[in-house]
Amino acid sequence: MNVQDAEKMAALLEPSGYETTDDPGRADLILVNTCSIREKAAQKIYSQLGRFRTLKEGNPRLRIGVGGCLAQQWGDRFFRRAPYVDLVFGTHQIHRLPEMVGELERTRGRIVETGFYDRVRSLGIPAQLAAGAVGTFVTIMQGCNNFCAYCVVPHLRGREESRPLPEILREVEMLAGHGIREVTLLGQNVNSYGQTLPEKTDFAELIGAIGKVSGMERIRFTTSHPKDLSARLIACFGGVASLCEHIHLPVQSGSNRVLRRMNRGYTAAAYREKVAALRRACPGISITSDVIVGFPGEEEGDFQETLELMREIRFDNLFSFQYSEREGTAAVGMDRPVCDSVKRERLRMLQALQEEHTLEKNRACVRRLEEVLVEGPSRNGSEDMTGRTRGNRIVNFPGTTGLIGKTISVRIVEAFPHSLRGEMEERGGADVH
Ligand code: SAH
Ligand code: SF4
């Protein structure tokens, strides 16, 4: 979500003459895109802002803006702790950036804009953005109505609001026309897409429509709430050729007691059943997940149930977090908080187990022929190129930059904990995903 917001900000400011730079020392404008989903990110922001303050002392033209969830949440409180900040803009104000930055150029004042809009705006991605990129994101809905007890998103991003299907389709067609080959549809809970629209539609219909866009070779989406994962969506895997065989399906916990306290709306058994249905519809589908450890009231037995669920399902990858209390959420002040050292230890155990599973899954790819969409030069310090399989695994292989944006067949020769190594096959299609 944040990467996409940052891309949008850059694109929106380009017509005003701004270009992105990797060197903050050369910048006239620094926009810090914040996240408050977890406490750590929130803590880091002031130390980062402090570093930019030093730059401001050497460059009086420099303006500093803070956007994203924390800006939405804290508003003008930012000025109190960081008086050198010039602009604070909320998650619903990104489209107004050119206007706000223009005002900053003209005045030396400070601006705070954190109002909510009642409708999701299309930001109309300029063609320049698409140039050179292989994949990009498209927001299909904003906000969330779920109110999971730990989560700040519904409080900060407001109620769920879907963008009309034809508008999304036009955007995807435009992206395909500019050479984008992969689109990731974004929403906090894509499974409830369409519920706020006057016309009757759903996420499966949207995927079906995007599946027909010529040139858009791959569709991905995130995030899917298990309670709303429909049979219609499950049937899209295998049914829509460009839909990649990967789903991110956050489970959060393997214990029913904890899931109930989290207000997740499903049981561990129901989750297992959804996974089984996905695997029946699409054998070999990659399944990734999120888990929170140390939610208030999580006892050793609950944690063991999470490990048990992991052992049984064997996620292809897992993002795991220590629970952190977020202002305004239902879990604030819940009884039986878990102490930090226990949270840390649980996280360590869980990550060690997942590492085994990830490696095991990566090893199972060895000798397989995989379809890889080539993204660019590898970051592994060699001459290799890099791309992703349909199951979302990174593959490095010897190749040339002429392959960027192409879908090729790669024979996997070696597996590592976080990537695969392969060799391009001259001919023939990929066997599975
Ligand atoms: N809408 C998505 C997730 C958004 S947040 C969904 O429903 O899955 C991404 C992940 O951050 C969550 O899945 C959760 O695992 C984690 N997270 C959110 N709030 C958290 C908190 N207060 N403490 C720790 N982890 C949290
Ligand atoms: Fe947060 Fe739950 Fe909504 Fe995801 S579904 S954004 S975790 S409230």
Side-chain angles (χ1 to χ4, degrees), residues 171-319:
E171 190 166 319
V172 174
E173 281 164 354
M174 186 270 287
L175 291 168
H178 285 100
I180 295 285
R181 294 289 157 256
E182 179 177 296
V183 66
T184 303
L185 308 174
L186 289 182
Q188 295 297 346
N189 178 16
V190 292
N191 296 336
S192 58
Y193 171 78
Q195 285 178 10
T196 60
L197 293 172
E199 56 277 10
K200 201 175 164 303
T201 182
D202 67 1
F203 189 51
E205 188 177 345
L206 178 67
I207 299 252
I210 296 177
K212 295 198 184 86
V213 174
S214 119
M216 192 52 81
E217 290 178 18
R218 289 181 167 189
I219 308 173
R220 299 185 187 281
F221 59 83
T222 196
T223 301
S224 223
H225 194 305
K227 81 175 161 52
D228 301 317
L229 176 62
S230 68
R232 271 170 59 78
L233 180 58
I234 293 175
C236 289
F237 289 105
V240 176
S242 50
L243 181 63
C244 287
E245 293 79 5
H246 168 223
I247 187 165
H248 185 63
L249 195 65
V251 65
Q252 312 299 359
S253 169
S255 149
N256 288 340
R257 257 176 15 92
V258 175
L259 287 171
R260 204 174 318 114
R261 279 167 72 99
M262 286 178 166
N263 190 30
R264 286 291 286 178
Y266 54 85
T267 60
Y271 185 89
R272 285 177 166 91
E273 183 36 50
K274 299 270 168 152
V275 167
L278 282 162
R279 287 181 168 156
R280 275 195 302 273
C282 182
I285 187 170
S286 273
I287 302 180
T288 56
S289 199
D290 293 344
V291 167
I292 297 176
V293 296
F295 188 74
E298 182 190 72
E299 286 172 10
E300 186 54 31
D302 299 308
F303 176 63
Q304 289 301 330
E305 286 184 49
T306 301
L307 296 182
E308 196 41 51
L309 181 133
M310 285 171 61
R311 280 191 202 99
E312 212 180 294
I313 290 181
R314 299 189 117 71
F315 292 113
D316 291 78
N317 210 343
L318 185 81
F319 300 89

Side-chain angles (χ1 to χ4, degrees), residues 144 146-148 150-151 153-154 188 225 264:
C144 181
N146 283 312
F147 290 93
C148 301
Y150 50 81
C151 183
V153 168
Q188 295 297 346
H225 194 305
R264 286 291 286 178

Side-chain angles (χ1 to χ4, degrees), residues 60 114 122 139 150 285 288 312 321 325-326 360:
T114 51
S122 165
T139 300
Y150 50 81
I285 187 170
T288 56
E312 212 180 294
F321 312 99
E325 192 170 89
R326 310 310 297 137
E360 170 190 300

Side-chain angles (χ1 to χ4, degrees), residues 6 8-33 49 52-53 55-56 59-67 84-89 94 96-107 109 111:
K8 271 184 197 164
M9 292 179 202
L12 282 164
L13 289 171
E14 218 167 67
S16 316
Y18 285 89
E19 291 170 13
T20 52
T21 170
D22 292 333
D23 177 7
R26 293 185 49 225
D28 290 320
L29 176 69
I30 295 180
L31 297 178
V32 182
N33 195 18
L49 282 174
F52 296 147
R53 170 197 206 159
L55 294 176
K56 208 171 178 183
N59 174 11
R61 281 160 50 96
L62 177 62
R63 295 284 180 275
I64 299 176
V66 183
Y84 44 89
V85 165
D86 302 286
L87 166 69
V88 177
F89 58 103
I94 294 177
R96 293 197 48 229
L97 256 185
E99 204 183 309
M100 294 187 279
V101 168
E103 204 174 316
L104 277 186
E105 286 169 358
R106 286 188 300 277
T107 65
I111 304 177

